[in-house]
Amino acid sequence: MNHQLPPFPAVSRRKFIQNAALGATALATLPILGCRSGTAQAAGRGPTHRTIPLANDWLFGGRFNAAATQPGFDDSAFARVSLPHCVSKLSWHGWQATDWMDVWIYRRHFSLPPDLAGQRVFLHFDGVMSGATPVINGQALPEYVGGYLPFHYEITSHVKADNVLAVAVDGRWKNAPPDGSPRGPEAVDFFEPAGIPRPVSVRVVPQIFIADVFAKPVNVLAASRRVEITCTLDAALVPAKPVRVQVELFDAGRRIAGVSETFTIVKTGETELKLALANLENVKLWDVDTPQLYEIVTTLMVDEAPLHDYRTRIGFREARFELDGFFLNGRRRQLFGLNRHELFPYVGFAMPRRVLRHDAELLRHELNCNIVRCSHYPQSEAFLDACDELGLLVWEELPGWGYLGDAAWQELAVRDVADMVRRDRNRASVVIWGVRINESKNNPALYQRTRAVAKALDDSRPTSGAMVGGIYSTKDWFQEVFAYNDYHHADADYSVELKPPLPDVPYLVTEAVGQIIGPPKVDHKYRRAGDPFLQAKQAIYHAQAHDQAAKNKRNAGVIAWCALEYGSPMNSANGIKCPGVVDFFRIPKLGAVFYQSQISPQIRPVIQPDFYWDFGAQSPHGPGRNAAIFSNCERLDIFVNGALHTTSLPQREKFPHLPYPPFFADLELAGADRSELRLDGYVGGKLVLSRSFSADESHDQFCLRVDDAELIGDGADATRLVFGRVDKHGSVRPFLAGEVSFELSGPGILVGDNPFALAEAGGMAAVWIKTQPNSSGRILIRATHSSLGAKSVAIAVRPATL
Ligand code: GAL
């Protein structure tokens, strides 16, 4: 509820724009799609764009039916759906893997422009959960297994003007990472709801086209910096004449450097070309606070006419893990992060760009993280685009969780490393590759291979892998950075006790705290619906973990477990795993207050009590004798009912290595009138922030809030609608029960439980509002709580422009 985030920028499309046919006449006939914010015009490029997104108008037929793969099948009874899409209608909790562990059938009719002579056509999937067999016009394409990485097919010889694509989506447990354990889905600590959660497109390209560009900035901190380009051309024929490849660097549409070379292509298939961009004295560095990005446009020219181009973004930054920590652009940065799963209530992985981006904003701007670990699989490109744009560093790892399978399974793990690195090696945000399966046994042969594959594709980043428990040694360690999931803690009070960094190897903590730390035999201890005193502990343990890591410069930092609650069959509360400092609905819990406070007060003064100012059944005496308040102020004056109760200073003795240690105060207040709490924060002797909280429930209000006032009417765009109860100052009042029911009018769809029973969610929750395809206008949502009354909120829907 405390989002104080900058306005959300327009949805930007991703990098890959395939352009231009061989014949200029064909250019006029194709739809112009996929252009990112006018850069093409600014760059003065001619070619039309040739990516045809298959986003809407999918037909979903439920469970697989072989007849439905055939073009003539009558699909009139199928449901019309848009991507992203999940096969099961899920609630926010109570998920069962059996809901989606089956094969499912989707169909999509699409037309191609009439004049396709001399062009090649590809079918591209950004990711299907967790495997697919596409059938194009009755012709089955090879099965792809694995849910988290892109795959594509050349379908040139199978397409015509009107086409039918059928996709059998396989949501069953399979012998592919992270699946494979004979124990089935119970063996992995996250659910994998099936569907098509990431974009699908048809790409029309010339006979020779640019298949990939790796643009690697080198020697970044010196004026002699350059960008080494490896451009992969894919040729269906050997051209009679040499081709020219031109690479240009753009800063927001302004060309600042270029290089061009002529090459002779001697074979069909892939040819790798190397070029380098120099004279880059004036570029700005990419850093966590100034995430400056540049666009690289690579153009293939034949007879001096542009045939095809490929766009990607890069940032100039030097990221090094050393024995004494992590250095970005030569400056040591303590890594301060959280792990993220990409699961969402109701839809699994199937959320649109805007919603995925909000997760990155939450991590960077509200939780003040400088790094996120994409646990335990490559996450959506939309999320990673946002990390590039927001200055959020990324640890990216191959799919997997604990289990190592047979030789065939291991081949897929090696394939996944290659595909992950190829997909994301241009990203400024990605600073390390996890090439070992999370918390798996040592396997020298496999992990030498995965490292070698990553290095061959990208020699600019270190490799690692998260180890756990007794595997705390560099025996059979081949990666450059040792990473450890460190759940050690004191027996007496459960305080975090991180192990010392291993000698002679750069060292990073990739998990800590989780829900393992804290009193045993209390399941799901950090649930919002649970004991508020336990919830408060979560912030303290996270503070301890980061404090201890910062004490030893050998420790590059902590990426704690974890940012968000997630769906899991393992030790979960009705299918929801609760170690997130933010809940499944992306609403910060008490655990988040530590992260919220770790920001300079010059940027934003913060005062966040590690308690609810509430004297209800769960805390009749209030926050207790040792109540924590997280703040970046230098002094807090604490007033109860207008009278100064105490003055408090940060507890630097207990948290000597945190930039902003917490404050503690005796707030055990039974009986007396304690309806108002006011916290005044001072920096440099000046009052910089005052926050008030009321225990008087009679002024409580039902609150209803959307993240975005405007959406795009494309059938995918969505925003979160948060609801719950707040006190008269707008602070969360926990433990609201009752039901919220929603009525929606206008071009929107409610994604979520309706009615929503609040008690199990702890009194605060969310649904999402999604637009309908080809729509515009105004969505109006009226939410009624069984005892607090009704509120309404409106969302403007802007037509999608292609
Ligand atoms: C770790 C694991 C995480 C998560 C966590 C549970 O061992 O790497 O994925 O399962 O435990 O708190």
Side-chain angles (χ1 to χ4, degrees):
M1 285 306 291
N2 293 314
H3 286 272
Q4 295 161 334
L5 301 174
F8 184 74
V11 174
S12 64
R13 301 230 177 225
R14 67 172 290 250
K15 59 182 184 185
F16 196 102
I17 302 169
Q18 306 248 14
N19 289 340
L22 274 172
T25 47
L27 299 182
T29 62
L30 282 174
I32 298 182
L33 299 173
C35 173
R36 184 142 57 79
S37 61
T39 316
Q41 283 94 328
R45 316 222 66 77
T48 50
H49 298 157
R50 293 299 182 114
T51 295
I52 303 168
L54 303 183
N56 296 324
D57 300 323
W58 283 83
L59 298 168
F60 178 56
R63 286 174 208 272
F64 181 71
N65 162 6
T69 62
Q70 291 314 301
F73 178 81
D74 176 5
D75 53 22
S76 55
F78 279 25
R80 190 165 290 265
V81 301
S82 300
L83 302 188
H85 185 258
C86 174
V87 296
S88 325
K89 195 165 166 20
L90 303 170
S91 171
W92 67 276
H93 58 172
W95 296 2
Q96 306 284 342
T98 45
D99 289 345
W100 57 80
M101 276 181 49
D102 209 332
V103 186
W104 308 83
I105 183 75
Y106 290 76
R107 286 166 64 90
R108 177 64 157 80
H109 298 252
F110 67 93
S111 300
L112 287 173
D115 182 5
L116 278 182
Q119 294 173 82
R120 299 168 70 186
V121 183
F122 286 79
L123 174 62
H124 188 99
F125 294 87
D126 277 12
V128 176
M129 193 57 61
S130 52
T133 305
V135 181
I136 180 80
N137 297 327
Q139 173 71 46
L141 303 172
E143 180 187 19
Y144 178 88
V145 288
Y148 302 93
L149 284 156
F151 55 99
H152 65 263
Y153 304 89
E154 179 156 11
I155 53 172
T156 311
S157 58
H158 305 309
V159 286
K160 45 198 184 172
D162 295 317
N163 304 280
V164 183
L165 168 67
V167 185
V169 168
D170 191 349
R172 293 172 302 182
W173 193 245
K174 34 183 96 56
N175 192 33
D179 303 7
S181 162
R183 288 170 49 219
E186 302 286 313
V188 172
D189 182 27
F190 54 94
F191 279 129
E192 300 180 277
I196 310 183
R198 296 186 187 166
V200 180
S201 56
V202 169
R203 296 172 180 184
V204 180
V205 295
Q207 294 291 318
I208 308 169
F209 71 99
I210 304 170
D212 185 57
V213 172
F214 177 28
K216 183 178 73 170
V218 292
N219 202 15
V220 163
L221 299 187
S224 58
R225 67 182 66 91
R226 49 186 211 288
V227 183
E228 290 180 358
I229 310 283
T230 306
C231 170
T232 307
L233 296 186
D234 185 315
L237 48 81
V238 178
K241 300 180 196 164
V243 299
R244 190 156 72 79
V245 172
Q246 171 182 302
V247 181
E248 293 164 291
L249 183 74
F250 290 90
D251 176 4
R254 193 170 54 89
R255 185 184 183 281
I256 54 171
V259 64
S260 163
E261 281 185 37
T262 301
F263 298 91
T264 303
I265 299 187
V266 295
K267 60 177 173 70
T268 55
E270 291 196 345
T271 299
E272 249 184 36
L273 311 173
K274 305 266 188 198
L275 296 91
L277 278 171
N279 304 322
L280 303 169
E281 295 79 17
N282 295 324
V283 297
K284 291 181 225 107
L285 295 182
W286 184 99
D287 213 312
V288 289
D289 297 320
T290 51
Q292 169 76 35
L293 292 168
Y294 291 88
E295 186 170 38
I296 296 264
V297 180
T298 305
T299 310
L300 173 65
M301 315 279 283
V302 171
D303 285 340
E304 285 315 296
L307 186 64
H308 183 232
D309 73 23
Y310 186 104
R311 287 151 197 260
T312 188
R313 290 191 308 185
I314 59 164
F316 291 88
R317 94 284 182 280
E318 187 205 65
R320 286 186 287 118
F321 284 83
E322 300 287 348
L323 286 178
D324 54 347
F326 173 75
F327 292 80
L328 187 63
N329 300 330
R331 173 176 166 202
R332 190 182 185 286
R333 289 257 180 197
Q334 186 69 15
L335 291 174
F336 183 74
L338 288 161
N339 282 263
R340 170 187 189 253
H341 268 298
E342 197 155 68
L343 288 161
F344 285 82
Y346 317 118
V347 295
F349 296 103
M351 276 294 182
R353 264 193 100 75
R354 180 191 302 272
V355 176
L356 297 164
R357 181 186 171 92
H358 280 329
D359 271 7
E361 290 170 335
L362 172 76
L363 281 155
R364 182 78 193 100
H365 291 314
E366 179 152 359
L367 302 176
N368 302 313
C369 290
N370 57 22
I371 190 165
V372 60
R373 174 171 173 225
C374 293
S375 53
H376 300 291
Y377 39 81
Q379 301 190 352
S380 61
E381 293 186 66
F383 176 74
L384 293 172
D385 283 349
C387 293
D388 281 338
E389 288 158 18
L390 298 170
L392 184 59
L393 302 167
V394 173
W395 160 302
E396 192 175 16
E397 69 192 30
L398 79 169
W401 200 85
Y403 172 78
L404 287 184
D406 59 12
W409 188 101
Q410 291 183 20
E411 281 308 315
L412 293 177
V414 175
R415 175 205 67 177
D416 285 350
V417 169
D419 289 351
M420 167 179 81
V421 174
R422 219 179 273 117
R423 192 191 74 168
D424 292 323
R425 59 189 168 166
N426 287 331
R427 294 187 180 280
S429 59
V430 176
V431 290
I432 188 163
W433 303 116
V435 300
R436 305 170 73 110
I437 302 289
N438 175 62
E439 298 188 351
S440 59
K441 297 188 293 241
N442 272 326
N443 183 324
L446 175 63
Y447 292 142
Q448 266 162 337
R449 263 185 89 195
T450 54
R451 176 180 182 275
V453 162
K455 288 285 172 196
L457 289 165
D458 172 24
D459 61 2
S460 73
R461 292 176 181 84
T463 65
S464 188
M467 310 300 281
V468 75
I471 318 183
Y472 180 67
S473 117
T474 46
K475 185 176 172 318
D476 293 328
W477 185 260
F478 314 104
Q479 283 66 38
E480 295 79 32
V481 177
F482 191 90
Y484 193 60
N485 293 350
D486 192 342
Y487 287 102
H488 290 90
H489 57 275
D491 289 339
D493 62 354
Y494 313 106
S495 327
V496 172
E497 287 187 344
L498 294 183
K499 284 175 90 75
L502 289 176
D504 306 325
V505 64
Y507 186 89
L508 171 67
V509 176
T510 28
E511 291 182 29
V513 186
Q515 67 177 33
I516 296 169
I517 288 190
K521 298 202 176 62
V522 182
D523 274 348
H524 332 308
K525 24 185 107 71
Y526 307 127
R527 278 176 83 198
R528 184 185 293 284
D531 177 350
F533 292 98
L534 277 178
Q535 291 184 54
K537 282 281 189 192
Q538 194 187 20
I540 302 289
Y541 296 138
H542 278 264
Q544 288 172 347
H546 287 283
D547 179 65
Q548 284 179 29
K551 143 173 105 190
N552 187 341
K553 295 283 173 242
R554 293 270 353 274
N555 191 332
V558 172
I559 310 178
W561 192 263
C562 58
L564 308 159
E565 294 181 346
Y566 54 99
S568 168
M570 215 177 252
N571 299 327
S572 55
N574 197 11
I576 302 299
K577 192 89 178 231
C578 306
V581 297
V582 166
D583 71 17
F584 203 21
F585 304 104
R586 281 54 187 162
I587 305 168
K589 300 192 291 190
L590 291 182
V593 297
F594 158 63
Y595 289 92
Q596 288 166 324
S597 68
Q598 301 303 296
I599 177 93
S600 160
Q602 311 310 328
I603 297 174
R604 172 168 79 233
V606 177
I607 301 173
Q608 290 284 20
D610 191 16
F611 52 80
Y612 301 111
W613 185 245
D614 188 68
F615 294 78
Q618 301 263 28
S619 50
H621 304 301
R625 292 235 160 88
N626 203 24
I629 301 166
F630 283 80
S631 172
N632 53 8
C633 296
E634 291 164 1
R635 187 185 100 214
L636 290 181
D637 287 354
I638 302 176
F639 297 81
V640 175
N641 270 358
L644 183 64
H645 177 73
T646 184
T647 283
S648 180
L649 298 175
Q651 267 219 12
R652 198 159 289 288
E653 322 75 63
K654 272 202 176 160
F655 296 89
H657 310 288
L658 287 183
Y660 305 102
F663 298 69
F664 290 86
D666 181 352
L667 288 172
E668 179 143 303
L669 301 165
D673 183 2
R674 67 274 139 129
S675 53
E676 284 284 311
L677 172 72
R678 196 178 91 218
L679 305 172
D680 287 355
Y682 289 82
V683 174
K686 279 206 195 111
L687 178 67
V688 292
L689 182 65
S690 176
R691 291 196 65 194
S692 294
F693 305 83
S694 172
D696 177 0
E697 294 187 12
S698 66
H699 297 289
D700 281 0
Q701 293 205 13
F702 181 46
C703 88
L704 187 69
R705 192 178 58 86
V706 280
D707 288 342
D708 305 274
E710 186 179 278
L711 293 176
I712 296 167
D714 61 1
D717 201 12
T719 191
R720 183 179 64 146
L721 176 71
V722 177
F723 47 92
R725 178 172 53 159
V726 291
D727 72 8
K728 69 175 180 207
H729 305 288
S731 296
V732 173
R733 170 95 55 222
F735 311 120
L736 175 65
E739 262 186 13
V740 180
S741 54
F742 303 93
E743 288 162 74
L744 183 148
S745 62
I749 297 162
L750 184 132
V751 180
D753 292 0
N754 185 15
F756 191 105
L758 265 171
E760 193 172 342
M764 205 82 200
V767 294
W768 274 260
I769 307 296
K770 178 164 105 154
T771 61
Q772 288 179 354
N774 309 314
S775 69
S776 61
R778 186 166 178 263
I779 302 173
L780 189 68
I781 307 119
R782 183 179 156 85
T784 310
H785 179 260
S786 36
S787 62
L788 289 176
K791 280 258 164 84
S792 294
V793 67
I795 304 167
V797 179
R798 200 156 47 81
T801 48
L802 293 178

